[in-house]
Amino acid sequence: MEKAQLVFIPAPARGHLVSALEAAKLLLTRCHQLSITVLILSHSSISSKVHNYVESRRASSSTISNRLQFIDLPEDETESSSFSSFFERQKLHVKEAVLKITQSESSVDSPQLAGFVVDMFCTTMIDVANEFGVPSYFFFTSGAAFLGFMLYVQKIHDEEKFDPTEFKDSNSELPVPSLVSPFPARVMPSAMLSKVWLPRLLYNARRFGEAKGIIVNTFLELESHAIEYFKMPPVYPIGPILDVASDGRSTHQEIMQWLDDHPPSSVVFLCFGSMGSFGEDQVKEIAYALEHGGHRFLWSLRQTPSSVGLLKSPSDYEDPQQVLPEGFLDRMGGIGKVIGWAPQVAVLAHPAIGGFVSHCGWNSILESIWFGVPIATWPMYAEQQFNAFQMVTELGLAVEIKMDYRNDSGIL
Ligand SMILES: O=c1ccn([C@@H]2O[C@H](COP(=O)(O)OP(=O)(O)O[C@H]3O[C@H](CO)[C@@H](O)[C@H](O)[C@H]3O)[C@@H](O)[C@H]2O)c(=O)[nH]1
């Protein structure tokens, strides 16, 4: 087999990068004739957590394989909350970077460009792949049932003039083919209920059909009904793709030692993903609930960004006491701990953890299943209401706090 080169274009968000980079590594270990170049898209509002994650992966990439390389694209500083215009602007940079790669394919021995692997949000990059005459695969960082849902909504929108935004406060149910259970319209993703965002979702779903295949971070045993539903393009369930190597001890020793002091399965972990945060009133209410509940807890509490913008994410409080009820931390000292960004996989892997209050991001769901920690669902943004429904009703793998909660911080 000739040497081949794939270009990966992940979306620059934690929940998308982790599985894309791990999938790239997996492919390299399976196929020794393959090289992968990962293009890192960059925007000035991307959080340091994302940069740090990429840096740590870049630093360890040479130990994984010299067939994995990263190229940083120029930073975009345009103030805009629109993903679509960001990705459109990035096309030129992607084209220039790929041109350089193809120009270096000088000898017969160099790997030849064989295709693009493009994040589910960057579907517009298929145009660039077409210019180079190579096929595109999409990398879908959520579940197969949700992929099926997107394709279903796009189909009935285009063929039957179905308008999901009319279902905002509806009690209707939809017969979604990638689900066994009827799907309540009230747990549709917020973006699908928004006249502003819906066109972009439909655009992405239409473009999925142009791909040579869709790689999904899922596995047959979890989503057999959904996976068997797909015909064309082919769907490859290559998951669960997780980055579970860290034991958290080198970076978050204090948290891990705190967990060491608690009995097995006794601590509830609360964590709401890379974008999850609550307003101050709600933080206080959660604190009262935890105090009255009396159970041990580890709570990842993060501060809402001061403005809404593309990829702006919460930060850690300098002093969480400023938003918590007076004396809360002192009273909870023995049974509860409030932290900022959590070493989530290490926490879920710890024997002291017995339950997970989660926003139901797909990576968090896969990590909870991997470590056998049951979820109580508290979806907030993106497709998390769909995921919560899937976990509670469709699969019976989680209990419901809410399935239709939506945050009010402006993130869709
Ligand atoms: O304090 C934290 C918070 C998160 N994480 C990690 O960050 C990732 C978060 O991913 P995910 O659970 O999927 O949530 P989001 O960051 O919110 O991911 C976005 O991308 C996912 C994949 O498409 C979608 O399912 C989500 O709804 C969308 O918000 C996971 O690996 C977590 O382990 C931490 O390590 N510490």
Side-chain angles (χ1 to χ4, degrees):
M1 183 189 162
E2 271 181 30
K3 286 185 182 171
Q5 163 104 253
L6 286 177
V7 170
F8 265 59
I9 312 177
R14 172 86 186 203
H16 291 240
L17 272 166
V18 175
S19 52
L21 298 188
E22 291 301 313
K25 279 161 52 181
L26 183 67
L27 278 174
L28 291 175
T29 57
R30 294 286 172 92
C31 180
H32 297 280
Q33 294 297 91
L34 188 67
S35 300
I36 292 180
T37 300
V38 183
L39 303 185
I40 301 294
L41 312 187
S42 179
H43 188 273
S44 46
S45 68
I46 288 173
S47 85
S48 57
K49 288 274 175 301
V50 172
H51 285 298
N52 295 346
Y53 186 77
V54 174
E55 281 322 305
S56 70
R57 297 302 96 182
R58 195 198 307 264
S60 61
S61 65
S62 58
T63 60
I64 299 154
S65 167
N66 56 9
R67 292 175 286 120
L68 176 62
Q69 64 154 337
F70 293 80
I71 295 179
D72 292 304
L73 301 191
E75 184 172 286
D76 184 305
E77 291 178 357
T78 315
E79 275 295 322
S80 152
S81 58
S82 155
F83 268 120
S84 47
S85 59
F86 170 66
F87 291 130
E88 287 302 326
R89 289 193 299 277
Q90 296 298 308
K91 278 164 106 170
L92 189 63
H93 301 315
V94 169
K95 195 172 161 181
E96 281 169 3
V98 178
L99 204 56
K100 280 194 193 137
I101 295 172
T102 53
Q103 281 164 352
S104 64
E105 291 169 355
S106 46
S107 72
V108 273
D109 205 32
S110 336
Q112 303 294 303
L113 181 65
F116 280 32
V117 178
V118 174
D119 182 89
M120 61 196 268
F121 283 167
C122 312
T123 55
T124 187
M125 296 299 170
I126 204 168
D127 296 334
V128 187
N130 289 343
E131 283 186 46
F132 285 95
V134 292
S136 293
Y137 292 83
F138 288 121
F139 188 68
F140 200 80
T141 56
S142 192
F146 182 62
L147 171 61
F149 174 68
M150 281 186 72
L151 293 170
Y152 164 73
V153 171
Q154 175 253 315
K155 186 173 187 300
I156 57 175
H157 173 275
D158 292 358
E159 292 176 6
E160 298 164 28
K161 303 272 170 281
F162 170 80
D163 180 358
T165 64
E166 287 171 5
F167 285 75
K168 198 158 187 174
D169 299 308
S170 154
N171 286 324
S172 315
E173 291 182 328
L174 302 171
V176 178
S178 58
L179 292 169
V180 175
S181 320
F183 177 73
R186 70 189 163 81
V187 296
M188 266 200 246
S190 301
M192 212 163 251
L193 299 169
S194 148
K195 291 221 182 285
V196 177
W197 286 80
L198 177 66
R200 191 65 196 180
L201 292 188
L202 296 172
Y203 169 88
N204 281 338
R206 284 183 203 111
R207 301 224 72 176
F208 289 154
E210 294 174 44
K212 184 136 190 221
I214 305 181
I215 304 165
V216 188
N217 187 9
T218 190
F219 53 105
L220 195 59
E221 293 80 354
L222 182 67
E223 295 198 276
S224 52
H225 174 79
I227 292 165
E228 279 155 16
Y229 152 74
F230 293 105
K231 300 281 178 289
M232 287 302 289
V235 160
Y236 301 99
I238 64 162
I241 300 285
L242 305 163
D243 182 4
V244 290
S246 164
D247 69 357
R249 305 256 164 203
S250 56
T251 50
H252 296 83
Q253 196 182 13
E254 196 206 327
I255 295 170
M256 302 318 292
Q257 277 176 353
W258 185 85
L259 286 172
D260 291 344
D261 290 339
H262 293 277
S265 301
S266 68
V267 178
V268 177
F269 175 47
L270 296 90
C271 192
F272 301 91
S274 55
M275 309 290 272
S277 63
F278 297 96
E280 292 191 11
D281 288 348
Q282 208 167 359
V283 168
K284 288 197 173 55
E285 292 300 326
I286 296 170
Y288 291 132
L290 289 170
E291 186 164 357
H292 289 170
H295 294 286
R296 293 181 172 87
F297 66 86
L298 179 67
W299 178 11
S300 168
L301 171 62
R302 309 198 69 229
Q303 185 167 21
T304 307
S306 51
S307 60
V308 178
L310 185 74
L311 298 167
K312 284 225 167 92
S313 50
S315 53
D316 292 355
Y317 283 100
E318 261 174 43
D319 176 12
Q321 189 64 69
Q322 69 191 76
V323 282
L324 292 165
E326 214 179 317
F328 175 79
L329 291 178
D330 294 334
R331 290 194 299 280
M332 294 298 100
I335 67 157
K337 188 168 179 63
V338 177
I339 58 172
W341 178 262
Q344 180 167 300
V345 291
V347 168
L348 290 173
H350 197 286
I353 297 296
F356 182 19
V357 175
S358 171
H359 75 313
C360 300
W362 190 249
N363 297 287
S364 294
I365 284 178
L366 293 179
E367 288 161 11
S368 81
I369 292 172
W370 183 263
F371 292 112
V373 179
I375 280 185
T377 62
W378 190 333
M380 299 187 73
Y381 49 91
E383 87 301 18
Q384 294 148 19
Q385 294 81 13
F386 183 100
N387 296 345
F389 167 79
Q390 191 181 358
M391 286 294 281
V392 173
T393 308
E394 179 81 354
L395 299 172
L397 289 176
V399 292
E400 175 182 6
I401 297 176
K402 291 291 274 182
M403 290 197 283
D404 60 355
Y405 181 81
R406 297 175 198 281
N407 77 336
D408 54 7
S409 68
I411 317 167
L412 291 178

